[in-house]
Amino acid sequence: NWGFFELVNHGIPHEFLDTVEKMTKDHYRKCMEQRFKELVASKGLEAVQAEVNDMDWESTFFLRHLPVSNISEIPDLDDEYRKVMREFAKQLEKLAEELLDLLCENLGLEKGYLKKAFYGSKGPTFGTKVSNYPPCPKPDLIKGLRAHTDAGGIILLFQDDKVSGLQLLKDGHWIDVPPMRHSIVINLGDQLEVITNGKYKSVLHRVIAQTDGTRMSIASFYNPGSDAVIYPEPTLVEKEAEEKNQVYPKFVFEDYMKLYAGLKFQAKEPRFEAMKAVETSVTLGPIATA
């Protein structure tokens, strides 16, 4: 009903999460805060008078874990922090796969179906966006992160438990996702909406910048492999939907991501329609008969 939930008792030790949080915040202060201030000054953002629609008030870097890690190549990370983030990724990968199996159970699918659907030829893609949202002088004019749905599979977010800002859209209203200490916030991306033919929806969400405090957000994205073929699981498509041609498209994940890159902050429905227009050329992978 909501597309988001908060997970406690997830099995990741609280002391370990405290270490991840401390090191992430230290790294931001040491290596990124000054750079962000210089960027803000160079763009004259403190003095804006009208709403800014082409930029987010966030300072980020990206880590790739699968199929091949790039953690050793990211500049400025000290060795201990690299080690901790490698371990964090390993634990979240395991958690993502457990959750996918629980979703399979919920949907009446064979255990392992979603993991297999994500697999492609090189396994899933998995990466982490580490973000900090510094205090913003004009949160009514600049969003921390503009409203969007996530393109991928299942998203696991470890967020600040003191500074809030994450909101989701429910029945036309923006609702706060309250920070809960040591919880992992889960939401679903566009690919799971397609595979479940809309039984699960990806939900619009955004980050509101705050005037006080820097909010930390570590979002890990467990996504299909780039060449994975994504399509609705046949038993989840009702006859009625088929007759009315209300079936989600079939496509290669990488093609969807190319489209999404330019349309991230727009509605998802036209993206699905655009993929429908090109789907005739996609051949189904072996998973169709599994």
Side-chain angles (χ1 to χ4, degrees), residues 8-290:
V8 292
N9 305 328
H10 40 61
I12 301 174
H14 290 178
E15 308 72 52
F16 182 65
L17 289 176
D18 290 340
T19 302
V20 169
E21 179 173 351
K22 183 184 181 311
M23 289 187 148
T24 299
K25 288 180 171 178
D26 286 349
H27 175 262
Y28 172 73
R29 275 192 295 270
K30 199 170 69 190
C31 301
M32 298 178 77
E33 190 169 28
Q34 189 51 37
R35 238 177 286 163
F36 184 76
K37 284 177 179 165
E38 285 163 12
L39 174 78
V40 165
S42 73
K43 293 192 178 295
L45 289 176
E46 296 107 323
V48 292
Q49 301 299 319
E51 193 165 349
V52 177
N53 289 316
D54 59 351
M55 207 184 142
D56 303 308
W57 188 270
E58 62 171 1
S59 170
T60 59
F61 64 95
F62 294 87
L63 302 173
R64 191 179 62 245
H65 315 302
L66 295 175
V68 181
S69 170
N70 71 348
I71 289 186
S72 55
E73 296 150 35
I74 305 290
D76 304 334
L77 303 186
D78 61 45
D79 290 345
E80 192 54 32
Y81 187 35
R82 281 183 219 274
K83 199 170 103 187
V84 161
M85 290 311 273
R86 273 199 190 92
E87 177 56 32
F88 186 53
K90 214 178 291 176
Q91 300 211 24
L92 285 177
E93 183 190 342
K94 190 170 139 251
L95 185 57
E97 291 177 352
E98 281 173 34
L99 286 166
L100 286 177
D101 276 346
L102 287 171
L103 295 183
C104 285
E105 199 178 315
N106 260 354
L107 293 159
L109 300 177
E110 174 198 343
K111 190 178 176 180
Y113 180 89
L114 289 171
K115 185 179 171 182
K116 225 184 297 178
F118 278 26
Y119 225 69
S121 62
K122 300 192 256 322
T125 47
F126 184 44
T128 297
K129 177 187 176 191
V130 181
S131 308
N132 282 275
Y133 298 92
C136 175
K138 306 225 170 142
D140 50 328
L141 298 179
I142 309 175
K143 293 281 173 291
L145 180 58
R146 289 160 285 166
H148 62 287
T149 64
D150 289 328
I154 189 163
I155 298 87
L156 305 94
L157 167 70
F158 176 40
Q159 66 166 344
D160 205 292
D161 68 338
K162 294 184 181 64
V163 184
S164 64
L166 179 62
Q167 295 184 328
L168 61 87
L169 193 65
K170 169 81 170 145
D171 302 330
H173 298 285
W174 286 105
I175 311 279
D176 290 328
V177 179
M180 268 170 70
R181 189 153 169 75
H182 298 134
S183 73
I184 303 284
V185 178
I186 309 295
N187 73 292
L188 307 181
D190 295 348
Q191 305 313 302
L192 282 172
E193 180 165 337
V194 171
I195 293 171
T196 66
N197 205 50
K199 297 267 187 302
Y200 286 140
K201 298 278 197 291
S202 61
V203 172
L204 266 181
H205 55 286
R206 67 183 185 183
V207 176
I208 297 296
Q210 307 290 340
T211 50
D212 297 318
T214 295
R215 174 178 176 264
M216 177 204 76
S217 149
I218 305 176
S220 296
F221 299 82
Y222 187 99
N223 291 347
S226 58
D227 62 353
V229 178
I230 302 298
Y231 56 91
E233 197 283 332
T235 65
L236 298 179
V237 178
E238 296 100 346
K239 270 273 165 281
E240 206 180 305
E242 228 160 349
E243 281 157 17
K244 289 186 184 161
N245 199 20
Q246 289 168 339
V247 180
Y248 280 72
K250 178 175 79 191
F251 50 81
V252 175
F253 179 58
E254 189 172 28
D255 293 341
Y256 187 85
M257 288 310 287
K258 284 177 187 157
L259 180 74
Y260 178 86
L263 304 171
K264 176 175 176 175
F265 298 109
Q266 295 175 28
K268 62 187 168 184
E269 290 76 12
R271 298 198 289 263
F272 293 148
E273 287 307 314
M275 295 321 288
K276 256 185 196 175
V278 296
E279 75 177 332
T280 43
S281 59
V282 178
T283 50
L284 281 183
I287 184 169
T289 56

